[in-house]
Amino acid sequence: MASSSYCFSVLSLVVLLPFLLHSASATSYIDAICQKFRGDKAFCVKTLSAYPPAASATSPLQAAVATLNLGSSYASKTADFTGKAAKADPKLMKDLAACQNEFVVIQRSLKSASSEVKEDPESANYDVMLCFDSTTSVKNLVGKNTDQASKTVITMTLMMEKFIGLGLGATETLGG
């Protein structure tokens, strides 16, 4: 009986070891990105650990691409919200439509960065850095407004800046 218990333990270890190592690797890739992140490290670790493509990354490149894609996805959702808000308020339509365009620019820049980060991390880093110009434009367009839609857009913009920071950490981890 002792030998069957021993065999079961060894077999369990053999089966589980790749998963344990994989998880440890993904954690180290996330930690590397978060070390480069110039913001709240706890936010970085929590966000990337909760995002399945980053949490299951098998290389630093996969973790970086996942991080950039997460930011791109957030920019796309923010652009959608801003576009709907522009249609709902004729007085703010022009400014909110311009904000929507800025978020589309961010989304495209982050997508571009994710596709070029393997070959040219410095160019990818530059693409991510440019996204801050768009968030500044959004703040200038609606930052002083007191309506609920503008306040929501500003809150989303501040979160977008965190995702851009994550993207910078990702590109810098690969040499950008």
Side-chain angles (χ1 to χ4, degrees):
M1 242 190 241
S3 68
S4 67
S5 175
Y6 174 76
C7 288
F8 178 75
S9 296
V10 169
L11 184 59
S12 296
L13 185 59
V14 168
V15 170
L16 292 176
L17 190 58
F19 295 107
L20 295 173
L21 291 176
H22 173 70
S23 176
S25 295
T27 301
S28 69
Y29 305 141
I30 289 170
D31 287 344
I33 291 170
C34 293
Q35 288 301 315
K36 299 285 186 177
F37 179 62
R38 293 177 186 89
D40 180 5
K41 305 285 189 237
F43 165 81
C44 179
V45 171
K46 184 177 179 180
T47 300
L48 295 181
S49 296
Y51 185 55
S56 64
T58 59
S59 70
L61 176 63
Q62 280 186 350
V65 168
T67 302
L68 292 164
N69 287 340
L70 176 61
S72 178
S73 175
Y74 186 80
S76 178
K77 288 179 171 109
T78 305
D80 291 345
F81 170 83
T82 308
K84 290 175 187 170
K87 291 176 185 171
D89 191 339
K91 292 186 290 183
L92 296 172
M93 184 180 285
K94 181 180 175 189
D95 288 344
L96 289 173
C99 291
Q100 179 185 23
N101 289 336
E102 294 296 342
F103 285 109
V104 168
V105 168
I106 293 170
Q107 187 266 334
R108 289 181 181 156
S109 292
L110 293 174
K111 272 288 186 207
S112 175
S114 74
S115 68
E116 70 189 359
V117 72
K118 179 180 181 181
E119 300 299 323
D120 191 355
E122 288 183 15
S123 290
N125 184 273
Y126 181 75
D127 285 347
V128 176
M129 291 281 293
L130 288 177
C131 295
F132 285 118
D133 292 344
S134 292
T135 61
T136 299
S137 293
V138 170
K139 290 178 194 176
N140 290 337
L141 285 163
V142 297
K144 293 182 188 216
N145 295 352
T146 58
D147 62 283
Q148 189 57 48
S150 294
K151 288 180 181 181
T152 301
V153 170
I154 291 301
T155 299
M156 295 174 94
T157 302
L158 295 175
M159 181 59 75
M160 186 74 250
E161 288 178 335
K162 289 181 179 183
F163 284 110
I164 294 167
L166 292 175
L168 288 174
T171 59
E172 290 173 9
T173 298
L174 296 178

